[in-house]
């Protein structure tokens, strides 16, 4: 069996207009080295970056077994079950087989997969005489039942369960019949996993099954012996496929032309494939008093399936500072750096569970722990340590939040009703806390007595409470209730007060201050400086500048020496000058920082570019180990690899220290107010939290960009999985950074292109993007330097840009406007929309009420102050206690203000 590298791809066919979210950096040149892709695992989360300590053995207590046996009793003081979500890599096989058909000259290609899921074969053909076109649609007679045409270049066919088995496993397959006398030169395909949206290639390119003998071997050939030359461990003798073309013929109307002298030989080939799947487990913790002493007994049990280590400690007050408790300790316990203990849980006889019993002294406030599955995988409680209360007061407070103790059931209620009641109790508690805090700083008396610092502190508490509620119940409950947001809006924080580090005031309007061609002038900073006053008058409060560092690519996204700020956009002094100018006109400035990857200055002894120069002269320890292109000696990547340049290993202490110092240097020397974080999918959001806490930006936003969900080429209505991935990243940063709302952009594409405006309301009647779940962290946009400009990788539907701006500039979230649109014929309309937003004090948490979402029209009312509609259909806001007057009207959009 030959094992190949397989990776989900984004641009699987040169002729396809990208409908998936593009990773534009794949198109940026790197003069050092560019390579094909390999399989990488996605969605990996590292909750801790502890390194294995030197074990210090501790003698186990002799009473452990007896204590476990007597723990089951009715006097349990506290009991809680926590859900655990993790990912596991599941391996399977792709197989490809070419067989002779039943009739002479007929052949059958079979493609199958042994992994569970909803698999789609995205495929096409290339013809003998069609030079230059890799993909074309096959003749109709060659298309299996259930196939869907994808524009004019491909077919998508769902794999179906096979009646036979594959190595003892069930699998899915699709069969393609074809005539050996046709003029088809090759069959090209990629495999798509509908459940995850991932696409799988062969060695970073499309699979290619050649049917002619003159095709060059590009490394992605399947079936031809030359395609596997030099690969050790191949399973069996793979047959060549030969097609002798005696003479060329033009295709007839059916797309088939006869060819003389053709000889095909069947083959069978298989290769490994892997994907990550979500796995759900739980951990239960109970606390009771030891019968013979006043000590606490804590019993922990989990159904995690392998040897589990509990990394734990105790705390003596609300600060939750970890310390090591007094003995006795459970069996198999070691000391970790004199700061915590690590205990291997014991396996239960006759079951898959494992458990531990902890005897804890009096006077402790709480028990803290995280679970260690392996050296790189830790599980915690929604980004924080698990915390178990131990004192009487803390247990009482926890139980009051829980509602009923686990297992208790009120008369006449079902378990589901009890769960819903518990959810509402908990969220109502958080809402009441928010109300109290809001009232605290809103009251006239408090407003006179409280300092500005105290008010900011309370506002930060509100943000953390809201984030906590959202983290737990984001799948079913919006971040804020309308009632709470209404009270919050009354605060009307002045622009100088920041609600939470990295998130601004909520009233920001962002302008991207460059496009893909801006570097060509060589003096872009000077050009943009002359427009500063104009942008301020238009109403923008934040400007996003291009990457400032020396770079291999002129656009700046392949940085080398991070401290060298002489770029194609201007030099160090010009950068400082433009930042100063924007500050003078009241506009904050974001720097575009590339933290995921960095281009090396020198080659190592193997000729690989992985030695860095400049002030940060890192070696290959700073590069992740799971990208073979650059032979890094760091740890595995915590995100997706970017294959055109060395991916930085953020788990290294020296790397994080250097990056934090660099960001703080930029803040001090240049005057940047915040950051736009490039390719945020490449590293764990927890590292971003570290960087934001160190550099304390006014505002920050990450580019977390991946594929939306499609079924047979049509965007799905439900994009919850997509926005969930973005929200998970924001949550990993602890809310210190927002993210571009790629979900909203994609849904706007489908709604406007297909005249399906019903897409703009989700199943709960909320906006369907990130802005519908976590509006204060959603940066909405319709175009940027990657999607539009001269790249045009995912261009907004032409002629409908103002509908998009009418949506994002009237809705909650933080809107971002593209430079090319500001200085175009849209300028006056954009200015009018910004004026409406500012005049009515619409902010990132404004309340939206969707009043219409039908085939040809979408309408909404925001904060009861602004009404809007987009689409060719009719809508007028109803007049009751409010009277509406037209503020701005354009092609297929209209905005009203309440008078």
């Amino acid at each position: 069996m030959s094992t190949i590298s397989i990776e989900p791809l984004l641009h699987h066919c040169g002729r396809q207009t990208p409908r998936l979210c593009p990773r534009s950096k794949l198109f940026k040149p790197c003069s050092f080295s560019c390579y094909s892709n390999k399989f990488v695992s996605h969605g990996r989360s590292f909750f801790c970056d502890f390194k294995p300590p030197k074990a210090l053995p501790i003698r186990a207590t002799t009473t452990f077994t007896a204590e476990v046996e007597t723990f089951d009793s009715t006097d349990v003081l506290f009991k809680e079950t926590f859900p655990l979500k993790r990912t596991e890599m599941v391996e399977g096989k792709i197989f490809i087989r070419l067989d002779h058909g039943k009739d002479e000259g007929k052949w059958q290609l079979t493609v199958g997969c042994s992994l569970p899921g909803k698999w789609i074969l995205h495929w096409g053909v290339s013809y003998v005489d069609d030079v230059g076109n890799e993909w074309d649609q096959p003749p109709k007679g060659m298309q299996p039942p259930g196939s869907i045409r994808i524009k004019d270049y491909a077919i998508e066919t769902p794999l179906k369960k096979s009646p036979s088995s594959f190595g003892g496993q069930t699998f899915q397959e699709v069969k393609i019949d074809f005539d050996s006398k046709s003029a088809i030169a090759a069959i090209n395909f990629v495999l798509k996993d509908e459940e995850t949206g991932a696409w799988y290639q062969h060695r970073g390119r499309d699979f290619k099954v050649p049917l002619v003998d003159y095709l060059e071997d590009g490394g992605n050939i399947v079936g031809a012996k030359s395609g596997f030359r030099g690969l050790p461990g191949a399973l069996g003798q793979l047959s060549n496929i030969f097609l002798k073309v005696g003479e060329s013929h033009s295709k007839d109307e059916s797309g088939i032309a006869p060819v003389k002298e053709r000889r095909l030989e069947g083959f069978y080939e298989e290769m490994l494939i892997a994907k990550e799947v979500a796995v759900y487990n739980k951990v239960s913790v109970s606390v009771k008093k030891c019968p013979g002493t006043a000590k606490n007994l804590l019993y922990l049990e989990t159904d995690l399936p392998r040897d589990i280590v509990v990394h734990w400690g105790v705390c003596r007050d609300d600060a939750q500072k970890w310390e090591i408790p007094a003995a006795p300790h459970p069996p198999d316990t070691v000391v970790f750096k004199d700061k915590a203990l690590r205990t291997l849980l014991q396996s239960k006889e006759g079951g898959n569970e494992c458990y531990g019993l902890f005897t804890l002294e009096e006077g402790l406030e709480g028990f803290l722990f995280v679970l260690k599955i392996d050296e790189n995988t830790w599980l915690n409680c929604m980004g924080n340590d698990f915390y178990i209360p131990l004192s009487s007061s803390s247990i009482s407070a926890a139980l009051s939040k829980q509602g009923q103790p686990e297992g208790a059931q009120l008369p006449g209620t079902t378990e589901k009703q009890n769960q819903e009641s518990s959810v509402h109790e908990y969220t109502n508690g958080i809402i009441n806390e928010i109300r109290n805090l809001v009232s605290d700083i809103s009251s006239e008396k408090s407003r006179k007595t409280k300092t500005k610092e105290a008010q900011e502190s309370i506002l930060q508490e509100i943000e953390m409470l809201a984030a906590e509620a959202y983290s737990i119940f984001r799948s079913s409950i919006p971040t804020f209730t309308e009632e709470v947001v209404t009270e919050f809006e009354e605060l009307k924080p002045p622009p100088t007060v920041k609600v939470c580090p990295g998130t601004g005031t909520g009233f920001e309007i962002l302008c991207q201050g460059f496009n893909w061609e801006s570097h060509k002038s060589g003096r872009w900073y000077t050009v943009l400086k002359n427009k500063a006053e104009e942008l301020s008058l238009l109403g923008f409060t934040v400007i996003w500048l291009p990457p400032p560092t020396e770079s291999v690519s002129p656009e700046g996204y392949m940085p080398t020496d991070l401290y060298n700020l002489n770029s194609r956009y201007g030099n160090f002094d010009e950068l400082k000058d433009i930042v100063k100018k924007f500050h003078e006109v009241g506009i904050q400035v974001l720097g575009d920082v590339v933290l995921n990857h960095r281009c090396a200055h020198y080659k190592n002894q193997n000729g690989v570019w992985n030695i860095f120069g400049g002030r940060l002269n890192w070696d290959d320890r700073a590069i992740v180990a799971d990208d073979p292109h650059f032979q890094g000696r760091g740890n595995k990547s915590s995100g997706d690899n970017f294959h055109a340049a060395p991916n930085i290993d953020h788990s290294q202490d020296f790397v994080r220290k250097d990056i934090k110092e660099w960001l703080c240097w930029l803040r001090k020397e240049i005057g940047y107010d915040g950051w736009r974080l490039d390719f945020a999918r490449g590293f764990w959001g927890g590292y971003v939290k570290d960087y934001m806490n160190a550099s304390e930006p006014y505002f920050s936003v990450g580019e977390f960009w991946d594929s939306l969900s499609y079924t047979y080429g049509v965007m799905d209505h439900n994009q919850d999985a997509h926005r969930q991935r973005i929200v998970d990243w924001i949550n990993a940063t602890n809310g210190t950074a927002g993210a571009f709302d790629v979900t909203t952009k994609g849904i706007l594409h489908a709604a406007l292109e297909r005249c399906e405006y019903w897409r703009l309301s989700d199943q709960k009647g909320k906006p369907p993007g990130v802005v519908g779940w976590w509006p204060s962290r959603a940066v909405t946009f319709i175009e940027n330097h990657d999607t539009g400009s001269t790249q045009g990788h995912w261009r907004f539907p032409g002629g409908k840009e103002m509908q998009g701006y009418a949506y994002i500039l009237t809705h909650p979230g933080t809107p971002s406007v593209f430079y090319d649109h500001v200085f175009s014929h849209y300028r006056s309309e954009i200015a009018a929309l910004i004026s409406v937003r500012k005049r009515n004090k619409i902010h990132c948490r404004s309340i939206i009420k969707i009043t219409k979402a039908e085939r040809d029209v979408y309408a909404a009312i925001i904060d009861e102050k602004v009404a809007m509609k987009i689409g060719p259909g009719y809508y007028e806001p109803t007049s009751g206690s409010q009277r509406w007057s037209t503020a701005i009207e354009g092609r297929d959009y209209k905005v009203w203000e309440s008078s």
Side-chain angles (χ1 to χ4, degrees):
M1 179 177 66
S2 69
T3 303
I4 67 164
S5 297
I6 299 176
E7 178 188 345
L9 77 140
L10 295 172
H11 302 285
H12 49 13
C13 166
R15 299 185 61 190
Q16 181 179 5
T17 301
R19 67 173 190 277
L20 304 178
C21 299
R23 273 192 322 196
S24 64
K25 312 305 176 298
L26 293 176
F27 300 90
K28 297 171 185 174
C30 175
S31 61
F32 289 151
S33 182
C34 294
Y35 294 86
S36 61
N37 298 339
K38 66 177 278 292
F39 176 82
V40 294
S41 61
H42 297 272
R44 187 181 297 111
S45 295
F46 299 113
F47 298 104
C48 304
D49 59 350
F50 303 118
K51 293 183 173 63
K54 184 176 181 180
L56 298 176
I58 295 176
R59 183 173 297 174
T61 172
T62 58
T63 61
F64 181 79
T65 304
E67 287 173 339
V68 171
E69 291 174 353
T70 61
F71 196 86
D72 266 345
S73 64
T74 58
D75 57 343
V76 173
L77 301 176
F78 176 86
K79 188 173 183 181
E80 181 84 27
T81 297
F82 302 92
L84 302 173
K85 182 181 178 182
R86 59 193 176 86
T87 58
E88 274 192 355
M89 190 65 68
V90 178
E91 290 189 352
K93 298 175 183 176
I94 290 177
F95 71 88
I96 304 163
R97 185 174 65 240
L98 184 66
D99 298 310
H100 199 289
K102 297 178 180 178
D103 301 327
E104 185 178 354
K106 302 294 184 181
W107 288 81
Q108 186 177 75
L109 179 69
T110 304
V111 180
C113 181
S114 67
L115 280 179
K118 188 177 179 183
W119 295 95
I120 302 292
L121 190 73
H122 183 98
W123 65 286
V125 301
S126 54
Y127 289 99
V128 172
D129 294 330
D130 202 1
V131 179
N133 282 336
E134 286 288 322
W135 286 64
D136 266 308
Q137 284 185 341
K140 288 185 178 180
M142 191 174 169
Q143 301 175 18
S147 298
I148 302 293
R149 295 167 62 90
I150 305 299
K151 297 188 178 179
D152 63 346
Y153 57 81
I155 295 291
E156 285 194 347
T157 307
L159 276 65
K160 297 181 179 179
K161 186 176 179 180
S162 174
S164 56
S165 63
F166 177 74
Q169 296 177 306
T170 58
F171 62 96
Q172 303 171 64
E173 65 180 9
V174 64
K175 297 180 182 293
I176 300 172
D177 296 307
F178 64 94
D179 193 332
S180 63
K181 296 181 181 179
S182 69
I184 296 173
I187 298 174
N188 309 296
F189 68 89
V190 290
L191 204 60
K192 177 184 177 183
D193 179 4
E194 278 287 287
E195 291 181 345
T196 63
W199 298 72
Y200 293 89
Q201 290 179 296
H202 181 4
R203 300 176 183 171
R205 299 178 59 189
D206 307 331
F207 290 87
K208 181 184 289 291
V209 178
L211 306 181
V212 297
D213 62 353
Y214 61 81
L215 288 176
E216 294 182 2
D217 176 14
N220 60 334
I221 301 297
V222 180
K225 186 183 297 184
S226 61
F228 295 85
R229 182 179 297 123
L231 283 180
L235 208 116
Q237 182 67 33
L238 301 176
S239 302
N240 278 331
I241 303 176
F242 289 105
L243 172 80
K244 297 295 182 182
V245 182
E247 57 183 279
S248 175
H249 293 268
S250 299
K251 291 179 284 185
D252 59 21
E253 294 180 358
S254 67
I256 300 176
V259 179
K260 294 182 180 180
E261 283 190 60
R262 175 172 288 208
R263 186 175 77 252
L264 288 174
E265 292 185 12
F267 72 88
Y268 172 81
E269 187 172 325
E270 61 184 36
M271 54 204 71
L272 292 181
I273 184 175
K275 66 181 259 190
E276 282 192 340
V277 296
V279 180
Y280 297 89
N281 297 99
K282 62 184 179 181
V283 58
S284 299
V285 183
S286 304
V287 178
K288 62 169 283 188
K289 286 291 182 182
C290 182
T293 69
K295 293 185 177 181
N296 286 313
L297 289 180
L298 185 143
Y299 179 73
L300 185 149
E301 181 178 289
T302 180
D303 60 351
L304 287 166
R306 58 187 89 149
D307 292 337
I308 303 299
V309 171
V310 179
H311 181 97
W312 64 282
V314 296
C315 61
R316 299 186 181 275
D317 51 40
D318 291 337
Q320 297 185 15
K321 182 179 179 181
W322 284 58
E323 62 178 78
I324 295 177
H329 300 120
D332 298 320
T333 297
V334 297
V335 176
F336 177 80
K337 294 184 178 179
D338 295 326
K339 295 181 179 179
L341 297 172
R342 287 184 173 176
T343 300
L344 177 66
L345 294 181
Q346 308 295 307
S347 298
K348 273 192 171 183
E349 293 185 8
N352 295 324
E353 295 85 4
C354 51
Y355 67 93
L357 182 64
F358 305 82
T359 303
L360 305 168
E361 61 193 277
E362 291 182 86
L364 299 176
E365 185 71 18
F367 178 88
L368 303 157
F369 73 96
V370 291
L371 297 171
K372 179 174 179 283
I373 295 179
D374 55 45
E375 289 305 321
N376 293 320
T377 309
W378 297 72
L379 297 178
N380 65 7
C381 185
M382 293 171 294
N384 299 307
D385 305 327
F386 288 100
Y387 173 76
I388 306 301
L390 297 177
S391 69
S392 300
S393 59
S394 60
I395 288 177
S396 299
L399 287 175
S400 67
K401 283 189 176 183
Q402 286 178 322
Q404 294 294 319
E406 186 179 87
Q409 187 164 319
L410 297 174
T413 63
T414 65
E415 182 181 353
K416 181 179 179 182
Q417 287 172 329
N418 279 336
Q419 289 173 350
E420 291 175 353
S421 174
S422 177
V423 166
H424 289 310
E425 257 186 70
Y426 189 75
T427 52
N428 286 340
I430 291 178
I431 289 169
N432 286 332
E433 287 187 64
I434 294 175
R435 283 176 176 158
N436 292 336
L437 288 167
V438 170
S439 300
D440 197 22
I441 74 170
S442 295
S443 66
E444 199 62 39
K445 182 177 179 181
S446 295
R447 193 174 297 175
K448 291 177 181 177
T449 58
K450 285 194 178 292
T451 65
K452 178 180 174 182
E453 290 75 16
Q455 290 185 30
E456 289 187 20
S457 176
I458 292 174
L459 287 170
Q460 291 183 24
E461 288 186 55
I462 293 173
E463 279 290 329
M464 288 187 286
L465 282 167
E468 179 186 358
Y470 176 74
S471 299
I472 300 170
F473 304 112
R474 58 179 175 255
S475 61
S476 59
I477 298 176
T479 309
F480 297 92
T481 65
E482 294 186 2
E483 195 174 355
V484 174
V485 178
T486 301
E487 293 189 58
F488 185 87
E489 192 274 334
E490 293 301 320
L491 289 170
K492 299 175 184 175
T496 56
V497 177
K498 61 181 180 181
V499 174
C500 188
T503 59
T505 67
F507 293 86
E508 285 72 29
I509 302 174
L510 173 64
C511 174
Q512 179 176 0
F514 63 100
N515 61 29
W516 192 245
E517 304 297 323
S518 297
H519 66 91
K520 291 185 177 179
S521 70
R523 51 188 296 274
W524 184 250
Y525 293 148
T526 303
V527 172
L528 193 59
K529 176 186 172 183
N530 294 331
K531 299 181 183 293
E533 292 184 2
E534 188 175 356
L535 289 168
S536 179
L537 290 173
L538 287 171
F540 291 104
T541 64
V542 183
I543 186 83
W544 159 20
L545 296 185
T549 55
E550 177 189 50
S551 170
V552 173
S553 63
E555 297 82 12
Y557 290 101
M558 303 289 279
T560 52
D561 183 357
L562 298 184
Y563 280 91
N564 184 346
L565 301 187
N566 297 319
S567 70
R568 302 292 180 91
Y569 299 100
N571 60 36
F572 178 91
D573 292 331
E574 290 169 334
L575 176 58
K576 288 190 68 171
D577 196 34
I578 188 178
V579 171
K580 179 182 177 183
K581 177 64 177 179
F582 275 113
H583 286 166
E584 289 172 355
V585 299
I587 294 179
Q588 306 288 324
V589 182
L590 303 187
D592 198 331
V593 289
V594 184
L595 304 181
N596 175 75
H597 51 272
R598 182 184 171 197
C599 289
H601 292 73
Y602 312 107
K603 295 180 181 180
N604 67 0
Q605 64 273 17
N606 299 323
V608 176
W609 293 92
N610 63 7
I611 306 298
F612 301 96
R615 183 164 165 180
L616 302 182
N617 54 346
W618 302 332
D619 58 17
D620 51 6
R621 293 174 300 155
I623 301 173
V624 297
D626 52 350
D627 184 353
H629 303 147
F630 298 101
Q631 298 180 5
R633 290 193 295 124
N635 297 311
K636 289 184 178 180
S637 175
S638 58
D640 295 347
N641 280 336
F642 170 62
H643 293 289
N647 289 261
I648 300 306
D649 178 14
H650 294 264
S651 71
Q652 302 282 7
D653 291 340
F654 74 90
V655 168
R656 292 199 308 279
K657 177 179 178 292
D658 286 347
I659 289 178
K660 286 187 284 188
E661 287 180 356
W662 177 62
L663 292 174
C664 292
W665 177 79
L666 287 175
R667 289 271 278 138
K668 180 180 178 181
E669 292 296 322
I670 303 302
Y672 282 127
D673 302 288
W675 317 115
R676 181 264 184 185
L677 304 166
D678 182 68
F679 200 72
R681 281 178 60 189
F683 53 102
W684 178 44
Y687 299 130
V688 173
K689 173 188 173 183
D690 200 16
Y691 301 145
M692 297 304 101
N693 288 339
S695 60
E696 296 184 333
Y698 162 83
F699 190 87
S700 56
V701 54
E703 181 204 26
F704 189 93
W705 201 316
D706 68 354
S707 305
L708 283 84
S709 301
Y710 292 79
T711 300
Y712 304 140
V714 178
M715 182 182 289
D716 296 340
H717 179 211
N718 187 332
Q719 295 293 339
D720 285 357
H722 185 268
R723 58 176 168 175
Q724 184 69 67
R725 291 192 292 272
I726 298 176
V727 162
D728 287 344
W729 179 83
I730 300 171
N731 205 42
T733 74
N734 204 33
T736 57
F740 286 108
D741 193 348
V742 181
T743 317
T744 290
K745 173 177 168 64
I747 292 171
L748 280 170
H749 274 244
L752 274 59
E753 283 177 338
R754 303 172 63 88
C755 196
E756 294 175 344
Y757 290 83
W758 48 264
R759 292 179 176 274
L760 294 172
S761 176
D762 68 10
Q763 288 85 345
K764 295 186 174 84
K766 299 292 183 182
V770 177
V771 74
W773 278 1
W774 204 343
S776 68
R777 300 300 187 273
V779 177
T780 53
F781 72 110
I782 71 167
E783 208 80 289
N784 63 30
H785 62 293
D786 287 327
T787 66
S789 191
T790 54
Q791 288 202 97
H793 291 320
W794 197 29
R795 198 178 298 280
F796 201 77
K800 301 181 180 181
E801 288 86 355
M802 284 312 304
Q803 288 189 62
Y805 282 123
Y807 183 93
I808 70 171
L809 285 170
T810 59
H811 278 49
T814 301
S816 176
V817 182
F818 185 40
Y819 179 88
D820 289 10
H821 293 157
V822 175
F823 296 99
S824 72
H825 60 284
Y826 297 132
R827 171 189 167 130
S828 60
E829 292 176 273
I830 290 173
L833 287 170
I834 292 175
S835 179
V836 170
R837 184 180 184 90
K838 300 190 79 168
R839 191 161 56 241
N840 291 278
K841 296 182 174 61
I842 295 174
H843 52 84
C844 68
R845 300 173 187 82
S846 287
I847 300 211
I848 178 168
K849 180 182 177 182
I850 297 174
T851 56
K852 207 167 189 178
E854 299 177 357
R855 183 189 63 82
D856 60 352
V857 65
Y858 165 86
I861 295 176
I862 301 90
D863 284 346
E864 298 296 330
K865 299 175 183 178
V866 172
M868 58 81 65
K869 79 100 179 177
I870 57 175
Y874 174 80
Y875 171 79
E876 290 282 339
T878 56
S879 295
S881 58
Q882 293 172 296
R883 298 188 63 182
W884 298 96
S885 58
T886 301
I888 179 175
E889 184 175 3
R891 181 182 174 186
D892 290 337
Y893 77 91
K894 193 172 182 179
V895 178
W896 298 263
E897 290 178 282
S898 175
S899 57

